[in-house]
Every structure is written in C-alpha cells, then in structure tokens.
C-alpha cells in the first residue's frame, strides 16, 4: 500500500510507462528514505513533447537537530562536557563546535566525550539542519526520477510543496503555465 | 562439430580436463581462476563429449552447455548514468557472460532523450566489431520507436529490449524485440524477471545462429579458435597482456589484445601447419577498442581454400 495519501501518475498513451514509473518513483523515494515526508504526489508526462512534471505536497516541520538532542551537556571545570549518545552525529557536532569556539578550545578526551572551554553553554547550537538535508535529498530523488535526457530542469520549492519540470526543449513560460494548469486539474479531479 | 561447453570445478586436477580437451582436438577459449574454483570455456568435439563428461564427474566438477561461447556481444545503453546502470545493463551483461559470451558494456555519449538521441561513427564501428548487440531502452513505446536511428546503421544483428509490448513490425531494423525489461531500479530476482533474461539469451542465440548460417554459405578459410591457438603459440607476448581474455573470439575472427603498431607484423607472420601465414588468409587491422589488433578471417571465396 502507498504510504502517501495521494499518488497520481498520468502519462497519456503510455499506460505501461505510467505503471512502471510508479514503481520507479516508489523505489527511489524508499531508497532515499523520503517516502514518509511526502503527503501527495502528482506526476505528469507527455512523451510527445517531451516533458516531465512532478508536483508534491510535503509533510514538513522537521525541527533542526540541537546539541542537547544528541548529547548530554554538563558543566565541568573551565567549560562544558558533552557526552554524545548517538555517535552518528559526532562528526557534525565537532564541525559545529570548531566553527563556534575554534579548534584550540575543543578537546576530545575519549571517543564519545567532547570538552569545550567556554562560559556559554553549547546546548542550543544546531548540529544538523534536517530540513535542508531533506530538501537536498528530495532534489537528488527528482533528478533520478526524471527520464534521462530531459536536461532542461526547473524546480520550485516552497515551505510545503515542490514543483519540478524537466524537458528536452527549452522551458518556455507557456509550457510552464500549461503544466501548472495540468497539475492543477489532476489535483482537482 | 565442436560443442561449446563450460566447466566449473575445483582448481585441483583441472589441468587434466585441459589436457583431455587438447588431446581430443578441442580448444580452451577462456580460463578463469577464482580462488579455489576454476571456470573453463571449452570447445569440444561432439562425439568425444562422453569422455570429457566421465572425467568431469570423477573430479566432481560441473559441465553445462554454453550456447554463446566464442562470441562477443555488446550491451549498449544510452549513457552510463544511474538511469540505466547498474541493474538492467549489468544483469543482462552478467547473464550473457554466464552463457559463455564475452559481453562488453558500451555507454553512448549522446544516446539520451527522444529527439536528441544520437550515435557517432566511432560508436557504430565499435559495436560492429561484435557479433551481436543488445540495446537497452526504457519504458516508453514512443521513445523506443523513435530511437531506431541509434541502431539503423549497425551491421550486426541488434536485439532491442524495452518495457512495453511493441509488435515486431514497428521495429523493422531490430533483429528481435524483447519486452518487459525497461528501466528497473532493482536487481532481477523474480522468476518473471529471470525469464525475461532467458528470453534475451535465446534471442541472442538466434541472432548468432543467423550469422553462423550466413558464414556457412561461404565458409571461413579456417576457424577462429584455430587462429587463436596459433597466435597464442607463436606470439608469446600475448600471455603477458593484462586483459583477462588476451584473445577474444568472434564468429569471423579474433581480437588480439596487443598494441597494433608493435605486434601487427608478428601476428601477420603466424604460420599454420598447412604452410600459409595468417596475413595471407586474414585481414589484420587496428581495432576500435583501445589499440588492439583485429583479425578478420577471409572467406573461402576470397582465398580459394579451406583448412
């Protein structure tokens, strides 16, 4: 069963292609772990033109990952001691701390412990912006999904939606408005 | 009549198999040693097959028919990007290999798209050096019909694979069309997918058989395995070539993986027991693949004799 609320694929005259593209899109979104973050997805393609468009509504609102989410911060002599719970974030954490305090004030006495020489608590620093990472992955997924050779691409991303167009020919304003109209009608159908 | 077979077994005593094949007047096309296992591609006289089977069962090895042995097949994709690789192209290439063919993967430089797809002269010539070519296309019937211009000028039989069902009449330049392949983002493992791969192999077999029949109407002066054996014996440098298969067999000749400029005279001078040299019964020219030597054996109508 599709974990998405709505997933429509429309490819005039290419029923087989539409069926297969459904599978391909599912495979790619699953590979990149994006399937849960997309609420609705509309895919339109016209092979005769040829043009490919994807419009999706996102389930957003992923808060950024802070130091206190991934580690326990405790006041220590001359600074703060950070004990990382999930080692996956160690590399990102060190990068952030180096940028904020400078390398000479950050020390790592053991594998999962970092000591920062500072008066200011690092617990509110952002370790990773998951939203930005998600958007990067989504763009990557769209490039993989689009048929190859559709080298003229355009991607509009807003807070909670994206609209991706790829075509072989130059993307003219008329074409873009036509596709917007098409997707709109799919949405209302 | 030589029968193409593949032996798989332990390294221990596999030299007995090689000796027997040579004694029977067969040929060893390829030998692959992978740790403790050895895979031999062999051409064995049909009437002596029982002797080989007896030895192999004694050695607890396995002998299967390899219908595509001694041929080279090109697996052509519109590019080498993630859209075509690894799954579809690698599955097909691997399957061809398991059936004895030597498969080469070729990604076109500008094969993508519907309107913009194109192939250049070098690419066509490279594909023409093979015995057959498998073109892998996608899921849209319209694109598959349109991309005909990629293989229209290829002179070897071309098998086209794609997703949807398309009647053969709509693809006049293809030797055969195999549907339900298309763009796939996972490895072929379901029985239906493996069945499709089998159909590609069968179609390739038919394509090669057609070429064999054509050759038999005007037979080659000598057989390619014999040329391979003679070159291997008289140009010892070929054993030092870094390629896993220093001499690749085609239906109408061989490709010797040595520098053309440096070794063409040595290859031309290869002498047979009958007193002729390879230069007299074959054309020797630079291959489009790297700087290798391409040997194309002349037909009986050109040399006037067969041995």
């Amino acid at each position: 069963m599709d974990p998405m609320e709505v997933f429509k694929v429309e490819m005039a005259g290419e029923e087989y292609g539409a069926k297969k593209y459904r599978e391909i899109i599912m495979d790619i979104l699953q590979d990149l772990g994006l399937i849960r973050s997309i609420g609705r997805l509309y895919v339109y393609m016209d092979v005769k033109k040829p043009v490919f468009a994807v419009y999706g509504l996102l389930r957003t609102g992923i808060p950024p990952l802070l130091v206190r989410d991934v580690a326990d911060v405790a006041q220590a002599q001359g600074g703060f001691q950070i004990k990382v719970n999930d080692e996956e974030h160690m590399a990102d954490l060190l990068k952030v701390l180096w940028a904020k305090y400078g390398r000479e004030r950050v020390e790592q006495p053991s594998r999962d412990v970092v000591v920062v020489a500072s008066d200011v608590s690092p617990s509110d620093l952002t370790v990773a912006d998951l939203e930005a990472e998600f958007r990067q992955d989504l763009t990557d997924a769209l490039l993989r999904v689009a048929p190859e050779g559709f080298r003229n691409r355009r991607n509009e991303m807003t807070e909670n939606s994206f609209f991706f167009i790829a075509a072989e020919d130059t993307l003219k304003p008329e074409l873009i408005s036509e596709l917007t109209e098409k997707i709109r009608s799919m949405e209302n159908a | 009549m030589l029968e193409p077979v593949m032996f798989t077994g332990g390294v221990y005593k596999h030299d007995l198999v090689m000796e027997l094949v040579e004694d029977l007047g067969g040929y060893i096309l390829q030998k692959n040693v992978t740790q403790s296992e050895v895979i031999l591609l062999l051409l064995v006289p049909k009437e002596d097959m029982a002797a080989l089977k007896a030895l192999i069962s004694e050695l607890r090895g396995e002998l299967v028919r390899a219908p595509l042995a001694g041929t080279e097949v090109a697996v052509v994709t519109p590019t080498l990007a993630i859209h075509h690789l690894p799954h579809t192209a690698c599955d097909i290439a691997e399957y061809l290999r398991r059936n004895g063919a030597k498969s080469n993967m070729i990604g076109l430089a500008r094969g993508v798209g519907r309107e913009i797809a194109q192939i250049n002269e070098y690419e066509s010539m490279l594909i023409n050096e093979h015995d057959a070519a498998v073109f892998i296309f996608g899921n849209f019937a319209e694109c598959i019909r349109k991309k005909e211009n990629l293989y229209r000028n290829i002179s070897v039989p071309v098998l086209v694979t794609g997703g949807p069902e398309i009647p053969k009449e709509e693809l006049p330049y293809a030797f055969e069309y195999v549907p339900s392949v298309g763009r796939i983002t996972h490895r072929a493992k379901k029985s239906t997918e493996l069945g499709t791969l089998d159909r590609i192999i069968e179609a390739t077999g038919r394509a090669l058989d057609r070429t064999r029949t054509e050759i038999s109407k005007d037979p080659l002066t000598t057989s390619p395995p014999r040329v391979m054996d003679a070159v291997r014996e008289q140009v010892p440098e070929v054993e030092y070539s870094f390629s896993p298969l220093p001499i690749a067999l085609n239906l109408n000749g061989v490709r010797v993986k040595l520098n053309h400029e440096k070794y063409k005279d040595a290859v031309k001078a290869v002498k047979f027991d009958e007193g002729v040299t390879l230069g007299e019964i074959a054309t020797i020219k630079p291959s489009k693949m790297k700087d290798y030597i391409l040997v194309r054996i002349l037909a009986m109508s050109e040399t006037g004799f067969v041995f």
Side-chain angles (χ1 to χ4, degrees), chain A residues 11 14 16-17 20-21 24 27-28 45 47-48 50 143-146 148-149 151 168, chain B residues 79 81-84 112-116 139-143 163-164 180 183 185-186:
Chain A
M11 294 178 182
E14 293 280 357
Y16 180 90
K20 279 287 153 185
Y21 258 78
I24 290 171
D27 271 350
I28 291 174
M45 167 142 187
V47 188
K48 298 258 159 65
L143 292 183
R144 286 198 206 179
V145 167
E148 221 203 345
R151 295 278 162 86
E168 266 183 36
Chain B
T79 55
I82 191 167
H83 297 75
H84 314 281
V112 293
R114 193 184 79 116
E115 302 292 333
I116 53 176
N139 287 330
F140 300 116
E142 175 68 24
C143 288
S180 37
R183 191 180 154 196
T185 40
H186 55 259

Side-chain angles (χ1 to χ4, degrees), chain A:
Chain A
M1 202 192 81
D2 298 347
M4 279 178 261
E5 293 155 32
V6 182
F7 183 13
K8 281 190 193 167
V9 183
E10 200 180 305
M11 294 178 182
E14 293 280 357
E15 282 68 36
Y16 180 90
K19 198 179 103 206
K20 279 287 153 185
Y21 258 78
R22 221 185 154 80
E23 288 172 22
I24 290 171
I25 292 170
M26 274 305 201
D27 271 350
I28 291 174
L29 291 181
Q30 241 150 18
D31 271 359
L32 294 169
L34 300 173
I35 206 127
R36 304 233 157 263
S37 313
I38 296 173
R40 297 174 185 196
L41 199 62
Y42 302 91
V43 181
Y44 173 77
M45 167 142 187
D46 189 344
V47 188
K48 298 258 159 65
K49 275 202 171 58
V51 66
F52 181 81
V54 188
Y55 175 71
L57 287 175
L58 304 173
R59 291 180 186 141
T60 46
I62 318 165
L65 206 60
L66 303 180
V67 172
R68 65 179 129 103
D69 298 331
V70 301
D72 299 323
V73 182
Q75 186 114 38
Q77 210 179 12
F80 287 88
Q81 183 185 329
I82 306 168
K83 189 171 182 302
V84 180
N85 300 320
D86 189 350
E87 230 178 318
E88 187 193 334
H89 302 291
M90 187 51 121
D92 287 331
L93 176 71
L94 279 174
K95 243 183 243 165
V96 171
L97 295 176
W98 285 339
K100 172 85 180 170
Y101 301 104
R103 281 193 183 232
E104 63 288 348
R105 288 164 67 193
V106 179
E107 227 176 275
Q108 191 181 0
S110 77
R111 196 165 146 170
D112 57 346
V113 176
V114 181
V115 177
V116 182
S118 160
D119 302 336
V120 193
S121 167
S123 52
D124 287 332
L125 286 178
T126 309
V127 177
D129 187 354
L130 297 182
E131 186 84 32
E133 271 175 31
F134 164 72
R135 276 163 199 280
Q136 257 172 28
D137 284 351
L138 183 63
T139 312
D140 181 29
L142 290 169
L143 292 183
R144 286 198 206 179
V145 167
E148 221 203 345
F150 288 42
R151 295 278 162 86
N152 296 314
R153 306 185 192 107
R154 178 193 158 95
N155 193 8
E156 273 173 37
M157 270 209 196
T158 65
E159 191 81 340
N160 50 16
S161 76
F162 64 89
F163 184 36
F164 174 84
I165 307 175
E168 266 183 36
D169 295 327
T170 320
L171 296 172
K172 296 205 180 86
E174 307 89 74
L175 181 71
I176 295 169
S177 55
E178 191 192 321
L179 287 169
T180 318
E181 198 53 46
K182 196 77 210 168
I183 295 280
R184 200 70 62 222
S185 72
M186 278 173 79
E187 226 179 339
N188 297 331

Side-chain angles (χ1 to χ4, degrees), chain B:
Chain B
M1 178 70 185
L2 294 169
E3 183 87 354
V5 285
M6 181 158 55
F7 161 79
T8 319
V11 171
Y12 177 64
K13 282 193 181 177
H14 81 275
D15 46 333
L16 291 182
V17 178
M18 290 170 70
E19 266 169 37
L20 180 66
V21 170
E22 276 166 8
D23 292 347
L24 294 173
Y27 298 98
I28 294 148
L29 303 182
Q30 193 178 355
K31 175 180 161 180
N32 265 336
V33 183
T34 47
Q35 296 198 343
S36 61
E37 201 173 61
V38 65
I39 299 168
L40 297 175
L41 269 181
L42 312 164
L43 284 179
V44 186
K46 213 173 192 170
E47 51 277 18
D48 297 319
M49 196 58 84
L52 184 69
K53 272 188 185 154
L55 174 69
I56 285 172
S57 74
E58 209 175 285
L59 296 175
R60 304 279 184 272
E62 199 188 329
L63 191 73
V64 287
R65 200 167 178 274
L68 308 182
T71 62
E72 221 178 4
V73 180
V75 178
V76 188
T77 56
T79 55
L80 288 177
I82 191 167
H83 297 75
H84 314 281
L85 292 164
H87 304 296
T88 346
C90 289
D91 280 340
I92 294 175
E94 173 61 21
Y95 235 66
L96 287 166
R97 221 167 284 143
R98 272 193 213 171
N99 283 277
K102 162 135 182 23
S103 58
N104 290 324
M105 257 195 223
I106 298 174
L108 302 180
R110 292 170 194 279
V112 293
R114 193 184 79 116
E115 302 292 333
I116 53 176
Q118 48 183 286
I119 185 166
N120 64 27
E121 198 191 355
Y122 169 76
E123 287 163 341
S124 326
M125 282 159 86
L126 184 60
I127 295 168
N128 279 339
E129 280 185 15
H130 295 77
D131 296 307
V134 182
F135 273 70
I136 302 171
F137 292 147
N139 287 330
F140 300 116
E142 175 68 24
C143 288
I144 296 172
R145 281 189 210 108
K146 192 92 186 172
K147 281 194 174 184
E148 199 177 58
N149 58 4
L150 289 186
Y151 56 86
R152 190 176 286 165
N153 290 328
I154 304 288
S155 54
V156 294
V158 172
L159 278 116
V160 177
T161 72
E165 293 276 349
I166 302 176
K168 173 71 190 64
E169 306 81 71
E170 290 181 28
L171 301 167
Y173 291 96
F175 177 78
E176 245 173 76
Y177 173 74
V178 182
S180 37
V181 186
R183 191 180 154 196
I184 300 171
T185 40
H186 55 259
R187 279 209 66 181
K189 50 192 170 204
K190 291 183 205 146
S191 59
T192 47
E193 292 163 344
L194 295 179
T196 314
L197 291 177
D198 283 333
R199 277 163 63 200
I200 297 175
I201 301 299
E202 283 161 22
T204 315
R206 281 193 288 277
L208 295 170
D209 279 344
R210 190 184 74 173
T211 315
R212 283 194 188 105
T213 323
E214 272 166 22
I215 291 175
S216 69
K217 286 177 192 158
D218 185 8
L220 298 177
T221 309
T222 188
S223 68
R226 193 156 173 214
V227 173
M228 179 185 75
D229 245 21
V231 173
R232 205 189 271 157
E233 245 170 54
Q234 297 174 40
V235 189
E237 289 87 348
V238 81
E239 294 297 330
Y240 299 100
S241 162
F242 288 123
S243 308
L245 188 63
I247 304 179
L249 278 184
N250 295 132
L251 288 176
N252 55 353
V254 297
R255 181 183 297 113
V256 183
K257 293 178 182 168
L258 285 174
N259 181 286
H260 176 261
E261 269 311 302
K262 223 164 143 191
Y263 290 100
K264 64 171 188 248
D265 295 324
V267 172
K268 260 183 201 165
V270 166
K271 212 169 167 78
F272 293 92
D273 295 340
E274 285 79 1
V276 289
T277 62
L278 188 56
E280 290 164 358
I281 60 156
T283 52
I284 287 148
K285 51 188 176 186
S287 166
K288 291 286 157 207
M289 194 182 290
K290 298 190 182 168
D291 54 355
Y292 296 151
I293 305 169
L294 191 70
V295 179
R296 287 286 172 255
I297 304 167
L298 297 174
M300 190 183 80
S301 58
E302 286 174 86
T303 56
F305 59 97
V306 172
F307 61 89

